[in-house]
Coordinates of all heavy atoms in Angstrom, one line a residue:
M1 N 88.7 177.2 133.3 CA 89.8 178.1 133.3 C 90.8 177.8 134.3 O 90.3 177.5 135.4 CB 89.3 179.5 133.3 CG 90.4 180.6 133.1 SD 90.2 181.3 131.4 CE 91.7 182.5 131.5
S2 N 92.1 177.8 134.0 CA 93.0 177.6 135.2 C 93.9 178.8 135.1 O 94.1 179.6 134.2 CB 93.8 176.4 134.9 OG 94.6 176.5 133.8
V3 N 94.7 179.0 136.3 CA 95.7 180.1 136.3 C 97.0 179.4 136.8 O 97.0 178.4 137.5 CB 95.1 181.1 137.5 CG1 94.0 181.9 136.9 CG2 94.8 180.4 138.8
P4 N 98.1 180.1 136.5 CA 99.5 179.6 136.8 C 99.9 179.8 138.2 O 100.6 178.9 138.9 CB 100.4 180.4 135.8 CG 99.6 181.7 135.6 CD 98.2 181.3 135.6
H5 N 99.2 180.7 138.8 CA 99.6 181.1 140.3 C 98.4 182.0 140.7 O 97.6 182.4 140.0 CB 100.8 181.7 140.5 CG 101.0 183.0 139.9 ND1 100.9 184.3 140.8 CD2 101.3 183.4 138.7 CE1 101.1 185.2 139.9 NE2 101.3 184.8 138.7
C6 N 98.3 182.2 142.1 CA 97.3 183.1 142.6 C 97.9 184.3 143.2 O 98.8 184.1 144.2 CB 96.4 182.4 143.7 SG 95.4 183.3 144.7
A7 N 97.6 185.5 142.9 CA 98.0 186.7 143.4 C 97.8 186.8 145.0 O 98.7 187.3 145.7 CB 97.6 187.9 142.7
L8 N 96.6 186.4 145.4 CA 96.3 186.5 146.8 C 97.0 185.5 147.7 O 97.6 185.8 148.8 CB 94.8 186.4 147.0 CG 94.1 187.7 146.3 CD1 92.6 187.5 146.7 CD2 94.5 188.9 147.0
C9 N 97.2 184.4 147.1 CA 98.0 183.3 147.9 C 99.4 183.8 148.0 O 100.0 183.6 149.0 CB 97.8 181.9 147.2 SG 96.3 181.1 147.4
D10 N 99.9 184.3 146.8 CA 101.4 184.7 146.8 C 101.7 185.8 147.8 O 102.8 185.9 148.2 CB 101.7 185.2 145.4 CG 101.8 184.0 144.4 OD1 101.6 182.8 144.8 OD2 101.8 184.3 143.2
S11 N 100.8 186.5 148.3 CA 100.9 187.6 149.2 C 100.5 187.1 150.7 O 100.6 187.9 151.5 CB 100.1 188.8 148.9 OG 98.7 188.6 148.9
N12 N 100.2 185.8 150.8 CA 99.7 185.4 152.1 C 100.3 183.9 152.3 O 99.8 183.0 151.8 CB 98.2 185.3 152.2 CG 97.6 184.8 153.5 OD1 98.3 184.1 154.2 ND2 96.4 185.1 153.7
P13 N 101.4 183.8 153.0 CA 102.1 182.5 153.2 C 101.2 181.4 153.9 O 101.2 180.3 153.4 CB 103.2 182.9 154.3 CG 103.4 184.4 154.1 CD 102.1 184.9 153.8
T14 N 100.1 181.8 154.6 CA 99.3 180.8 155.3 C 98.3 180.3 154.1 O 98.1 179.2 154.0 CB 98.4 181.5 156.3 OG1 99.3 182.1 157.2 CG2 97.6 180.5 157.1
A15 N 97.8 181.2 153.3 CA 97.0 180.7 152.2 C 97.7 179.9 151.2 O 97.3 178.9 150.7 CB 96.3 181.9 151.5
K16 N 98.9 180.3 151.0 CA 99.8 179.6 150.0 C 100.0 178.2 150.4 O 100.0 177.2 149.6 CB 101.1 180.3 149.8 CG 102.0 179.7 148.9 CD 102.0 180.5 147.5 CE 103.0 179.9 146.6 NZ 102.7 180.4 145.2
A17 N 100.2 177.9 151.7 CA 100.5 176.7 152.2 C 99.3 175.7 152.1 O 99.4 174.5 152.0 CB 100.9 176.8 153.7
Q18 N 98.2 176.3 152.0 CA 96.9 175.4 152.0 C 96.4 175.4 150.5 O 95.4 174.6 150.2 CB 95.8 176.1 152.8 CG 96.0 176.2 154.2 CD 95.0 177.1 155.0 OE1 94.2 177.8 154.5 NE2 95.1 176.9 156.4
Q19 N 97.0 176.0 149.5 CA 96.7 175.9 148.2 C 96.8 174.5 147.6 O 97.9 173.9 148.0 CB 97.6 177.0 147.5 CG 97.1 177.2 145.9 CD 98.2 178.0 145.3 OE1 99.3 177.6 144.8 NE2 97.8 179.3 145.1
T20 N 95.8 174.1 146.9 CA 96.0 172.8 146.3 C 96.1 172.9 144.7 O 95.5 173.9 144.2 CB 94.7 171.9 146.5 OG1 93.5 172.5 145.9 CG2 94.5 171.9 148.0
P21 N 96.4 171.9 144.0 CA 96.5 172.1 142.4 C 95.1 172.4 141.9 O 94.9 173.1 140.9 CB 97.0 170.6 141.9 CG 97.8 170.2 143.2 CD 97.1 170.8 144.4
T22 N 94.0 171.8 142.5 CA 92.7 172.0 142.1 C 92.3 173.4 142.1 O 91.6 173.9 141.3 CB 91.7 171.1 142.9 OG1 92.1 169.8 142.9 CG2 90.3 171.1 142.2
D23 N 92.7 174.1 143.2 CA 92.5 175.4 143.5 C 92.9 176.2 142.2 O 92.2 177.2 141.7 CB 93.2 176.0 144.7 CG 92.4 175.6 146.0 OD1 91.3 175.1 145.9 OD2 93.1 175.6 147.0
L24 N 94.1 176.0 141.7 CA 94.6 176.7 140.6 C 93.9 176.3 139.3 O 93.6 177.1 138.5 CB 96.2 176.5 140.4 CG 97.0 177.1 141.5 CD1 98.5 176.8 141.4 CD2 96.9 178.6 141.6
L25 N 93.6 175.0 139.1 CA 92.9 174.6 137.9 C 91.6 175.1 137.9 O 91.1 175.3 136.7 CB 92.8 172.9 138.0 CG 93.9 172.1 137.6 CD1 93.6 170.7 137.9 CD2 94.2 172.3 136.0
E26 N 90.9 175.3 139.0 CA 89.5 175.9 138.9 C 89.5 177.3 139.3 O 88.5 178.1 139.5 CB 88.6 175.2 139.9 CG 88.5 173.7 139.5 CD 87.5 172.9 140.3 OE1 87.0 173.5 141.2 OE2 87.3 171.7 140.1
G27 N 90.8 178.1 139.2 CA 90.8 179.5 139.4 C 90.6 180.2 138.1 O 90.2 179.7 136.9
D28 N 90.6 181.5 138.1 CA 90.4 182.3 137.0 C 90.9 183.7 137.2 O 91.4 184.1 138.3 CB 88.8 182.4 136.8 CG 88.4 182.7 135.3 OD1 89.3 183.0 134.6 OD2 87.2 182.5 135.0
Y29 N 90.9 184.5 136.1 CA 91.6 185.9 136.2 C 90.4 186.7 136.7 O 89.3 186.7 136.1 CB 92.1 186.3 134.8 CG 93.4 185.6 134.5 CD1 93.3 184.4 133.9 CD2 94.5 186.1 134.8 CE1 94.6 183.7 133.6 CE2 95.8 185.6 134.5 CZ 95.7 184.3 133.9 OH 96.9 183.7 133.6
C30 N 90.7 187.5 137.7 CA 89.7 188.5 138.1 C 89.4 189.5 137.0 O 90.3 190.1 136.5 CB 90.2 189.3 139.4 SG 89.2 190.4 140.0
P31 N 88.1 189.7 136.7 CA 87.8 190.7 135.6 C 88.0 192.0 136.1 O 88.0 192.9 135.2 CB 86.3 190.3 135.3 CG 85.8 189.7 136.6 CD 87.0 188.9 137.3
V32 N 88.2 192.3 137.3 CA 88.3 193.7 137.7 C 89.8 194.2 137.7 O 90.2 195.2 137.2 CB 87.7 194.0 139.1 CG1 87.8 195.3 139.6 CG2 86.2 193.5 139.0
C33 N 90.6 193.3 138.4 CA 92.1 193.8 138.5 C 93.0 192.8 137.6 O 94.2 193.1 137.5 CB 92.6 193.6 140.0 SG 92.5 192.0 140.7
H34 N 92.3 191.9 137.0 CA 93.0 191.0 136.0 C 94.2 190.2 136.7 O 95.0 189.7 136.0 CB 93.6 191.8 134.8 CG 92.5 192.6 134.2 ND1 91.5 192.1 133.5 CD2 92.3 193.9 134.1 CE1 90.8 192.9 133.0 NE2 91.1 194.2 133.5
Q35 N 94.2 190.0 138.0 CA 95.2 189.1 138.6 C 94.7 187.7 138.6 O 93.5 187.4 138.6 CB 95.4 189.6 140.0 CG 95.9 191.0 140.3 CD 97.4 191.1 139.8 OE1 98.2 190.1 140.2 NE2 97.6 192.0 138.9
P36 N 95.7 186.8 138.4 CA 95.3 185.3 138.5 C 94.8 185.1 139.9 O 95.5 185.4 140.9 CB 96.5 184.7 138.1 CG 97.7 185.6 138.4 CD 97.1 187.0 138.2
T37 N 93.7 184.3 140.1 CA 93.1 184.1 141.3 C 92.7 182.7 141.5 O 92.0 182.1 140.6 CB 91.9 185.0 141.5 OG1 92.2 186.3 141.2 CG2 91.3 184.9 142.9
C38 N 93.0 181.9 142.6 CA 92.7 180.6 142.7 C 91.2 180.5 143.2 O 90.7 181.5 143.5 CB 93.6 179.9 143.8 SG 93.3 180.3 145.5
R39 N 90.7 179.3 143.1 CA 89.2 179.0 143.5 C 88.9 179.5 144.8 O 87.9 180.1 145.1 CB 89.0 177.5 143.3 CG 87.6 177.1 143.7 CD 87.3 175.6 143.6 NE 88.4 175.0 144.5 CZ 88.3 173.6 144.8 NH1 87.5 172.8 144.0 NH2 89.2 173.1 145.6
A40 N 89.9 179.3 145.8 CA 89.6 179.7 147.1 C 89.5 181.2 147.5 O 89.0 181.6 148.3 CB 90.7 179.1 148.1
H41 N 90.0 182.0 146.5 CA 90.0 183.4 146.5 C 89.0 184.1 145.6 O 88.9 185.3 145.5 CB 91.4 184.0 146.4 CG 92.2 183.8 147.6 ND1 93.5 183.1 147.7 CD2 92.0 184.2 148.9 CE1 94.0 183.2 148.8 NE2 93.1 183.8 149.7
L42 N 88.1 183.2 144.9 CA 87.1 183.9 144.0 C 85.8 184.1 144.9 O 85.5 183.3 145.7 CB 86.9 183.0 142.9 CG 88.0 183.1 141.7 CD1 87.6 181.8 140.7 CD2 88.1 184.3 141.1
R43 N 85.2 185.3 144.6 CA 84.0 185.5 145.4 C 82.9 186.0 144.3 O 83.4 186.7 143.3 CB 84.1 186.7 146.3 CG 85.0 186.5 147.4 CD 84.5 185.4 148.5 NE 85.4 185.2 149.4 CZ 86.5 184.1 149.4 NH1 86.4 183.3 148.4 NH2 87.2 183.9 150.4
I44 N 81.7 185.5 144.4 CA 80.6 185.8 143.4 C 80.0 187.3 143.8 O 79.8 187.5 144.9 CB 79.5 184.8 143.6 CG1 80.1 183.5 142.9 CG2 78.3 185.2 142.7 CD1 79.1 182.3 143.0
V45 N 79.9 188.0 142.7 CA 79.2 189.3 142.8 C 78.2 189.2 141.8 O 78.1 188.7 140.8 CB 80.2 190.6 142.6 CG1 81.2 190.6 143.7 CG2 80.9 190.4 141.2
R46 N 77.0 190.1 142.3 CA 75.8 190.1 141.4 C 75.4 191.6 140.9 O 75.6 192.4 141.8 CB 74.7 189.5 142.2 CG 74.9 188.1 142.5 CD 73.8 187.5 143.3 NE 74.2 186.1 143.9 CZ 74.4 185.0 143.2 NH1 74.0 185.0 141.9 NH2 74.8 184.0 143.7
W47 N 74.8 191.6 139.9 CA 74.3 193.0 139.4 C 73.1 192.8 138.6 O 72.8 191.7 138.1 CB 75.4 193.7 138.7 CG 75.7 193.0 137.3 CD1 75.1 193.4 136.1 CD2 76.8 192.0 137.0 NE1 75.7 192.6 135.1 CE2 76.7 191.8 135.7 CE3 77.7 191.4 137.8 CZ2 77.4 190.8 135.0 CZ3 78.5 190.4 137.2 CH2 78.3 190.2 135.8
R48 N 72.5 193.9 138.3 CA 71.2 193.9 137.4 C 71.7 194.8 136.3 O 72.1 196.0 136.4 CB 70.2 194.6 138.1 CG 68.9 194.3 137.4 CD 67.7 194.9 138.3 NE 67.4 194.2 139.5 CZ 66.7 193.0 139.6 NH1 66.1 192.6 138.5 NH2 66.4 192.4 140.7
W49 N 71.5 194.4 135.1 CA 71.8 195.2 133.9 C 70.9 196.4 133.8 O 69.6 196.1 133.9 CB 71.8 194.4 132.6 CG 72.8 193.3 132.4 CD1 72.6 192.1 132.5 CD2 74.1 193.6 132.1 NE1 73.8 191.3 132.3 CE2 74.8 192.3 132.1 CE3 75.0 194.7 131.8 CZ2 76.1 192.1 131.9 CZ3 76.3 194.5 131.5 CH2 76.9 193.2 131.6
K50 N 71.3 197.6 133.6 CA 70.3 198.8 133.5 C 69.4 198.8 132.4 O 68.3 199.1 132.5 CB 71.2 200.1 133.6 CG 71.9 200.3 134.9 CD 72.6 201.5 134.9 CE 73.2 201.7 136.3 NZ 74.0 203.1 136.5
T51 N 69.9 198.1 131.3 CA 69.0 198.1 130.1 C 67.9 197.1 130.2 O 66.8 197.4 129.8 CB 69.9 197.8 128.8 OG1 70.8 196.8 129.1 CG2 70.8 199.1 128.4
T52 N 68.2 195.8 130.6 CA 67.3 194.8 130.4 C 66.7 194.5 131.9 O 65.7 193.7 131.9 CB 67.9 193.5 129.9 OG1 69.0 193.1 130.9 CG2 68.6 193.7 128.7
R53 N 67.2 194.9 133.0 CA 66.9 194.5 134.3 C 67.2 193.1 134.7 O 66.6 192.7 135.7 CB 65.3 195.0 134.6 CG 64.9 196.4 134.2 CD 65.9 197.5 134.8 NE 65.9 197.4 136.2 CZ 66.8 198.1 137.0 NH1 67.8 198.7 136.4 NH2 66.6 198.2 138.3
Q54 N 67.8 192.4 133.9 CA 68.1 191.0 134.2 C 69.3 191.0 135.2 O 70.3 191.8 135.2 CB 68.7 190.3 133.0 CG 67.6 190.2 131.9 CD 66.4 189.2 132.2 OE1 66.7 188.1 132.7 NE2 65.2 189.7 132.2
T55 N 69.3 190.0 136.1 CA 70.4 189.8 137.0 C 71.4 188.9 136.3 O 71.1 188.2 135.5 CB 69.9 189.2 138.4 OG1 69.2 188.0 138.1 CG2 69.0 190.2 139.1
D56 N 72.6 189.2 136.7 CA 73.8 188.5 136.2 C 74.8 188.4 137.5 O 74.8 189.0 138.3 CB 74.4 189.1 135.0 CG 75.0 188.1 134.0 OD1 75.2 187.0 134.5 OD2 75.1 188.5 132.9
S57 N 75.8 187.5 137.1 CA 76.8 187.3 138.3 C 78.2 186.9 137.6 O 78.2 186.4 136.4 CB 76.5 186.3 139.4 OG 76.4 185.0 138.7
A58 N 79.2 187.2 138.3 CA 80.5 186.8 137.9 C 81.3 186.6 139.1 O 81.0 186.8 140.4 CB 81.2 187.9 137.0
Q59 N 82.6 186.0 138.9 CA 83.6 185.8 140.1 C 84.7 186.8 140.0 O 85.3 186.9 139.0 CB 84.1 184.4 140.0 CG 83.0 183.4 140.4 CD 83.6 182.0 140.5 OE1 84.4 181.5 139.7 NE2 83.4 181.4 141.6
V60 N 84.8 187.5 141.1 CA 86.0 188.5 141.2 C 86.9 187.9 142.4 O 86.6 187.2 143.1 CB 85.6 189.8 141.4 CG1 84.6 190.3 140.3 CG2 85.0 190.0 142.8
C61 N 88.0 188.5 142.5 CA 88.9 188.2 143.5 C 88.5 188.7 144.9 O 87.7 189.8 144.9 CB 90.4 188.5 143.3 SG 90.8 190.3 143.5
E62 N 88.8 188.0 145.9 CA 88.5 188.4 147.3 C 88.8 189.9 147.6 O 88.1 190.6 148.2 CB 89.1 187.4 148.4 CG 88.7 187.7 149.7 CD 89.4 186.9 150.6 OE1 90.5 187.2 151.1 OE2 88.9 185.8 151.0
R63 N 90.0 190.4 147.1 CA 90.5 191.6 147.4 C 89.6 192.7 146.8 O 89.1 193.7 147.5 CB 91.9 191.8 147.0 CG 92.5 193.2 147.2 CD 93.9 193.4 146.8 NE 94.8 192.3 147.3 CZ 96.0 191.9 146.8 NH1 96.3 192.3 145.7 NH2 96.8 191.0 147.4
C64 N 89.2 192.5 145.5 CA 88.2 193.5 144.8 C 87.0 193.5 145.5 O 86.4 194.6 145.6 CB 88.2 193.1 143.4 SG 89.6 193.5 142.4
K65 N 86.4 192.3 146.0 CA 85.1 192.3 146.6 C 85.2 193.1 147.8 O 84.3 194.0 148.3 CB 84.6 190.9 146.8 CG 83.2 191.0 147.4 CD 82.4 189.8 147.3 CE 81.0 190.1 147.7 NZ 80.2 188.9 148.0
R66 N 86.3 192.8 148.6 CA 86.4 193.3 150.1 C 86.5 194.8 150.0 O 85.9 195.7 150.8 CB 87.4 192.8 150.8 CG 87.4 193.1 152.2 CD 88.6 192.3 152.9 NE 90.0 192.7 152.3 CZ 90.9 191.7 152.0 NH1 90.6 190.5 152.1 NH2 91.9 192.3 151.4
T67 N 87.1 195.4 148.9 CA 87.3 196.8 148.8 C 86.4 197.5 147.9 O 86.5 198.6 147.5 CB 88.9 197.0 148.3 OG1 89.0 196.4 147.1 CG2 89.7 196.6 149.3
Y68 N 85.4 196.6 147.4 CA 84.3 197.2 146.5 C 84.8 197.8 145.1 O 84.2 198.5 144.5 CB 83.5 198.2 147.2 CG 82.8 197.7 148.4 CD1 83.3 198.0 149.7 CD2 81.6 196.8 148.2 CE1 82.7 197.4 150.8 CE2 80.9 196.4 149.5 CZ 81.5 196.6 150.7 OH 80.9 196.0 151.7
Q69 N 86.0 197.3 144.7 CA 86.5 197.7 143.5 C 85.7 197.3 142.3 O 85.6 197.9 141.2 CB 87.9 197.2 143.3 CG 89.0 197.9 144.1 CD 89.0 199.4 143.9 OE1 89.1 199.9 142.7 NE2 88.8 200.1 144.9
H70 N 84.9 196.1 142.4 CA 84.2 195.6 141.4 C 83.0 196.6 141.0 O 82.4 196.5 140.0 CB 83.5 194.2 141.8 CG 82.6 194.2 142.9 ND1 83.1 194.4 144.3 CD2 81.3 194.1 143.0 CE1 82.0 194.4 145.0 NE2 80.9 194.2 144.3
R71 N 82.6 197.3 142.0 CA 81.5 198.3 141.7 C 81.8 199.4 140.7 O 80.9 200.0 140.2 CB 80.9 198.9 143.0 CG 80.5 197.8 144.0 CD 79.5 198.2 145.0 NE 78.9 197.1 145.6 CZ 78.0 197.2 146.4 NH1 77.5 198.3 146.9 NH2 77.4 196.0 146.9
Y72 N 83.1 199.6 140.4 CA 83.5 200.6 139.4 C 83.5 199.8 138.0 O 83.7 200.5 137.0 CB 84.8 201.2 139.7 CG 84.7 201.9 141.0 CD1 85.3 201.4 142.2 CD2 84.2 203.2 141.0 CE1 85.3 202.1 143.3 CE2 84.1 203.9 142.2 CZ 84.7 203.4 143.3 OH 84.7 204.1 144.5
W73 N 83.5 198.6 137.9 CA 83.5 197.7 136.8 C 82.2 197.9 136.0 O 81.2 197.5 136.3 CB 83.7 196.2 137.1 CG 83.7 195.3 136.0 CD1 84.2 195.6 134.7 CD2 83.3 193.9 136.1 NE1 84.0 194.4 134.0 CE2 83.5 193.3 134.8 CE3 82.9 193.1 137.0 CZ2 83.3 192.0 134.5 CZ3 82.4 191.8 136.7 CH2 82.7 191.3 135.4
D74 N 82.3 198.6 134.8 CA 81.3 198.8 133.9 C 80.0 199.4 134.6 O 78.9 199.0 134.3 CB 80.9 197.5 133.2 CG 80.0 197.6 132.0 OD1 80.1 198.7 131.4 OD2 79.6 196.5 131.5
S75 N 80.2 200.3 135.5 CA 79.1 200.7 136.4 C 78.0 201.6 135.6 O 76.9 201.7 136.0 CB 79.5 201.5 137.5 OG 80.4 202.7 137.0
A76 N 78.4 202.0 134.4 CA 77.4 202.7 133.6 C 76.2 201.8 133.2 O 75.1 202.1 132.9 CB 78.0 203.3 132.3
Q77 N 76.6 200.5 133.0 CA 75.5 199.4 132.6 C 75.0 198.6 133.7 O 74.0 198.0 133.5 CB 76.3 198.4 131.7 CG 77.2 199.0 130.6 CD 76.3 199.5 129.5 OE1 75.2 199.2 129.3 NE2 76.9 200.4 128.7
R78 N 75.6 198.7 134.9 CA 75.2 197.7 135.9 C 74.9 198.3 137.2 O 75.5 199.3 137.8 CB 76.3 196.7 136.2 CG 76.9 196.1 134.9 CD 78.2 195.3 135.4 NE 78.9 195.1 134.1 CZ 79.7 193.9 133.9 NH1 79.8 193.0 134.7 NH2 80.2 193.7 132.7
D79 N 73.7 197.9 137.8 CA 73.4 198.3 139.1 C 73.8 197.1 140.1 O 73.3 195.9 139.9 CB 71.7 198.3 139.2 CG 71.2 199.7 138.7 OD1 72.0 200.7 138.8 OD2 70.2 199.8 138.3
W80 N 74.7 197.4 140.9 CA 75.3 196.4 141.7 C 74.4 196.0 142.8 O 73.8 196.8 143.6 CB 76.6 196.8 142.3 CG 77.7 196.9 141.2 CD1 78.0 197.9 140.4 CD2 78.4 195.8 140.7 NE1 78.9 197.6 139.6 CE2 79.2 196.2 139.5 CE3 78.4 194.3 140.9 CZ2 79.9 195.4 138.8 CZ3 79.1 193.6 140.1 CH2 79.9 194.1 139.1
I81 N 74.3 194.6 143.0 CA 73.5 194.0 144.1 C 74.4 193.6 145.2 O 74.1 193.8 146.5 CB 72.7 192.8 143.5 CG1 71.8 193.2 142.5 CG2 71.9 192.1 144.7 CD1 71.2 192.1 141.7
S82 N 75.4 193.0 145.1 CA 76.5 192.7 146.0 C 78.0 193.1 145.7 O 78.2 193.6 144.6 CB 76.4 191.1 146.2 OG 76.9 190.5 145.0
Ligands
ZN1 ZN1 94.5 182.1 146.3
ZN2 ZN1 90.4 191.5 141.6

């Protein structure tokens, strides 16, 4: 998955200057805030499904992870680990 630009780089001139085409090619849309996010700003979060007790993971943007917004994502189904 690739993204046309990165919302976090766009708000940070230092990060924007370091952004490479590969960062965008390997970026993805944050499943929590739906902002396009480059590879450098994606962070892995983990949870356990309440029904199966299986662990799973996904990548969210750095801002959502730092502010714990991802923990509201489908929280009825998921016990958050990180
Ligand atoms: Zn970025
Ligand atoms: Zn996000």
Side-chain angles (χ1 to χ4, degrees):
M1 186 103 182
S2 69
V3 290
H5 66 99
C6 170
L8 291 181
C9 286
D10 289 349
S11 64
N12 181 337
T14 310
K16 181 98 178 166
Q18 294 171 348
Q19 188 185 77
T20 68
T22 311
D23 288 337
L24 292 179
L25 277 174
E26 297 184 1
D28 208 345
Y29 288 84
C30 173
V32 180
C33 66
H34 307 291
Q35 294 293 312
T37 308
C38 76
R39 179 183 60 174
H41 282 121
L42 286 171
R43 297 289 179 267
I44 291 175
V45 291
R46 297 178 195 285
W47 68 88
R48 192 181 291 279
W49 293 105
K50 288 185 180 177
T51 47
T52 64
R53 307 310 295 164
Q54 296 292 308
T55 56
D56 210 342
S57 66
Q59 290 189 308
V60 305
C61 77
E62 183 185 84
R63 183 184 293 156
C64 285
K65 180 163 190 191
R66 194 176 57 229
T67 58
Y68 298 101
Q69 287 302 308
H70 64 286
R71 298 203 169 184
Y72 299 101
W73 175 30
D74 200 16
S75 61
Q77 310 283 341
R78 308 174 195 215
D79 280 330
W80 289 97
I81 298 167
S82 63

